[in-house]
Structure formats: C-alpha cells, structure tokens
C-alpha cells in the first residue's frame, strides 16, 4: 500500500492484487499539475483510495483507476473500488478528471455445445464520511458494465450479464460536502452474449440475457450532507439481450435512484438523464425458421426523500426513462413491458426542476426482417407506470413537465 507519501512525478501502477492508497500516517500526494494523469492504477482485486485521519490525499491531475476483469470462472463477479474520505478534516482532492472502472467481460466459449460464462459487473463507490470532503475539479466517469460471453454454436447458450453497482454518496454532514465540478457519467448496464464471429449460419445459439445494474445518487444519514454536481449528469443502467438463432436474450432494465435524506441536499446544475430501459436481443435467421426476438421489461427509476426535510434541485432539463423494446426476430418479435418511474416528493422533502420528463413506454419487436413479411406475429407491448407525486408534507416545484 501507499501511506503518507509524496510523489512529485506522475505514478503508473499495474498490480495483480488489490491497492490500498491512504493517509493514515500523513498526507499523500501524486503528480505535477492538472494537465497530467497523475495516478494511473490497474489492479486485479478489490482496491481503495482514501483520505483518513484528518489528512489530505491530493491528485494534481487526472485519476484513472481500472479494476476490470475478464471472466474465467463459471460466474465471475467484478471487483470493488472505493474512492473515499472519512474522519474529521480529511480531504480528497482531484485537480483533473476521475475515471473509475470495474467492468467484467465474460469469457467466450470456442468449443461447440458448451455454454458461455455468466457475469456480474463490479462495484464503484465514491463517498465521504462524517466531517470529511471530496472535491473533483474535472469530470467523474464510472463504468461497471458487464458483457456476457459468446458461444460458437452446437445448441449452447451465450453468457448472461448483469450490470454492477455504482454509488455517489455524500455523508459528510453540514459544511462537509462532496462536489464534482465537471460532467458525471455512470454506466451500470448488462449486455448478454451472442453468437461468436466464427459461426455464420445455423449456429443453434440462444442469446444471453442482459440485466441493468444499480445506480444510487444520495445525500444522507448525517444531517445536512451536501452533494453538488456542477454540470451534466448521465446515469445509465440498461439491459440488452444478446442475439441468437434459436432465441434471443431477454432484457431487464436496472435501478436508478436519487435519494435525499436527513436534511441532505442534492444539487445538479446541468441536464440530467436517468435511463433504466431494456432492449431484447435479435432473433437471427436460420434454416429452421429463425430465432424469436428477445423480450424486454423496463427497469425502475426513482426520486425519494426520507427523514428530516431534504431537497433535490435539478437546474437543467431532466429526463427519466424506463422504456422497453422487444427485439426483432426472424421468427416472431419479442414482447415488451414498460418499467416504473416514481418521482415522489415526500417526508417534507422539496423537489425543484426546470424541466422534467418521464417515460415508461413499451414497443413490441417486429417479425418482418429486411422487408420480407414472413407472416409471423410481432411482439406485444404493455406500457409501464410513470408518475410525479407530492405527499407527506413534501412539495414538487416543476417549471415544465412532459
């Protein structure tokens, strides 16, 4: 590990195990200036970068930390990466951008007739604790996507994939915030595996299922915690089914939540997109009639409040989506069911927004491929639920609603 060290040059580390970078015994700093990648970390196991014990951890320029994993086990799960600060007057500062990844890529299966690996994305948590601060001067990018393995054929199933978990949690209390000045982009999507490139026809493959993961943006627990995001915010937890010529993979949207609790405050200056949609896989052509398009069910997107009166202030345009798209199929189209968008100002909370749009639509897949009507049925579609509600002493002040 690294503890209480000063690096006057940029640092690049590539290790097979986990990394522990902290300030238990003194301040720790990396890099020359804000124009460089001051810390470039690649690790093969759970890792933490944390300011503790009232000391500072400063990264002059960009931080790049990757804990990506390529699946070798039957059902590999991604690693856990924490970027944090805890303890009175502890501070973590990044002068440039922060890119944090814990993706998982399922192993493909070259041998015909053997199913590919199922995978689950990793976990990335950015969190400050009591009386500590985190400040990122540039952008913040988090990626915990998962990709199911491919198969070559022989009646096998491609790997299923479930997106990981990504959280930004302000828990510092009054006067001790978590702030990101630049754009925030988080992806926790799951993409099912498909047919490998070496099989061109009659592969006998069932596409892998794809399920979105979970994203949490929260100010909570310690009274007066503040989360300030100073630019655009893009949150994606989509599911996408893989292609197959027996049947395509099913897709399920993930879970995206914004939660303000215990007199906390969340402020987003730019436009916000929160997407937990699902897209069924493509049913490929085969001499036996072709595959059915994959079904799809939209996920869950929510705003919630609890505890003492809290606030969420959305100063740009905000769009919340839990749509479902059935996959097209050479045989029949996939069915689709919209998800759930629940924007609820309760527990004396206050939601303000310049523009707010929400959708939980559903679109069945087509059975007409490349302009040829095969006479089979398209997929059915059932819309989901989307609502805005103020109850329990809460208020919602929306300038424009769609």
């Amino acid at each position: 590990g690294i503890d209480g060290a000063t690096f006057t040059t940029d640092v690049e580390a590539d290790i097979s195990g986990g990394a522990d970078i902290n300030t238990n015994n003194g301040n720790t700093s990396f890099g020359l200036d804000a124009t460089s990648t001051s810390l470039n970390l690649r690790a093969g196991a759970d890792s933490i970068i944390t300011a503790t014990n009232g000391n500072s951890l400063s990264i002059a320029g960009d931080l790049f930390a990757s804990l990506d994993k390529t699946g070798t086990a039957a059902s590999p799960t991604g690693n856990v990466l924490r970027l944090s600060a805890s303890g009175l007057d502890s501070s973590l500062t990044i002068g440039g951008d922060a890119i944090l990844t814990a993706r998982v890529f399922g192993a493909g299966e070259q041998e015909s007739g053997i199913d590919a690996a199922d995978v689950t994305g990793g976990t990335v948590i950015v969190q400050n604790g009591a009386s500590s601060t985190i400040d990122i001067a540039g952008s913040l990018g988090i990626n915990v996507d998962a990709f199911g393995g491919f198969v070559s054929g022989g009646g096998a199933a491609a790997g299923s994939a479930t997106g990981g978990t990504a959280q930004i949690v302000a828990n510092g209390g009054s006067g001790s915030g978590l702030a990101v000045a630049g754009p925030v982009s988080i992806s926790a999507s799951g993409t099912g595996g498909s047919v490998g490139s070496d099989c061109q026809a009659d592969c006998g493959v069932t596409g892998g299922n794809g399920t979105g993961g979970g994203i949490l943006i929260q100010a909570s627990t310690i009274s007066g915690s503040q989360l300030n995001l100073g630019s655009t915010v893009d949150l994606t937890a989509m599911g996408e089914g893989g292609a197959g010529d027996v049947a395509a993979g099913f897709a399920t949207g993930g879970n995206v939540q914004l939660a303000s609790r215990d007199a906390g405050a969340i402020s987003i200056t730019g436009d916000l997109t929160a997407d937990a949609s699902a897209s069924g896989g493509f049913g490929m052509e085969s001499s036996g009639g072709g595959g059915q398009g994959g079904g799809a069910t939209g996920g869950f997107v929510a705003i919630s409040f609890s505890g003492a009166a809290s606030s969420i202030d959305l100063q740009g345009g905000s769009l919340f989506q839990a749509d479902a798209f059935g996959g097209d199929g050479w045989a029949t189209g996939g069915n689709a069911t919209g998800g759930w968008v629940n924007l609820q100002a309760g527990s004396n909370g206050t939601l303000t927004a310049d523009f707010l749009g929400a959708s939980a639509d559903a679109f069945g897949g087509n059975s007409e491929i490349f302009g040829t009507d095969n006479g089979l049925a398209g997929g059915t579609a059932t819309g989901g639920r989307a609502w805005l509600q103020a109850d329990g002493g809460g208020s919602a002040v929306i300038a424009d609603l769609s």
Side-chain angles (χ1 to χ4, degrees), residues 305 312 344-352 389-398:
F305 299 85
I312 296 177
Q344 186 165 359
S347 299
N348 297 304
T350 300
L351 171 65
T352 56
Q389 181 179 8
D391 63 3
S395 65
V397 182
I398 314 298

Side-chain angles (χ1 to χ4, degrees), residues 111-388:
E111 186 173 348
S112 179
I114 298 179
D115 293 347
D118 299 332
V119 294
T120 301
T123 297
V124 173
I125 298 172
V126 179
Q127 180 174 3
N128 69 316
S131 303
S132 65
T133 60
I134 294 178
D135 288 287
I136 300 173
S139 63
L140 172 61
I142 298 174
N143 193 314
V144 290
D145 290 346
F147 302 87
F150 66 85
V151 288
S152 295
S160 294
T162 301
T165 298
Q167 299 181 355
I168 302 176
V169 178
N171 196 26
S174 180
S176 298
L178 192 163
V180 182
V184 172
S185 177
I186 301 178
S187 184
S189 297
T191 301
S194 298
V195 178
S197 60
D198 55 343
C199 183
Q200 302 300 317
D202 292 335
C203 305
V205 167
T206 299
N209 300 327
T211 302
I215 298 175
L216 174 65
I217 307 297
Q218 181 171 286
S220 70
T221 306
I222 297 179
S223 181
S225 295
Q226 299 176 16
L227 175 59
N228 298 308
L229 305 179
S231 185
T232 57
V233 175
D234 186 5
L235 311 175
T236 305
M238 298 177 63
E240 183 176 352
D245 60 351
V246 174
F250 195 92
T252 305
N255 187 312
V256 181
Q257 295 193 61
L258 279 72
S260 189
R261 314 185 191 287
D262 306 312
I266 297 175
S267 174
I268 298 177
T269 302
D271 293 343
L272 165 67
T273 300
D275 195 345
S277 296
S279 297
F282 174 61
M284 301 169 59
E285 181 182 11
S286 73
S287 60
Q292 178 178 352
T297 298
F300 178 74
V301 181
I303 285 178
S304 64
F305 299 85
S306 65
S310 305
S311 66
I312 296 177
D313 183 16
L314 308 178
Q315 299 174 28
S318 300
L319 180 61
F320 302 87
Q321 297 170 287
D323 301 324
F325 303 86
D328 293 341
W330 203 268
T332 58
N335 300 330
T337 302
W340 187 8
V341 178
N342 181 16
L343 310 178
Q344 186 165 359
S347 299
N348 297 304
T350 300
L351 171 65
T352 56
D354 182 64
F355 168 82
L356 194 154
S359 65
D361 296 333
F363 305 87
N366 296 317
S367 63
E368 183 179 349
I369 305 301
F370 303 134
T372 301
D373 187 354
N374 56 24
L376 298 176
T380 62
T382 303
R385 303 169 69 183
W387 73 70
L388 170 66

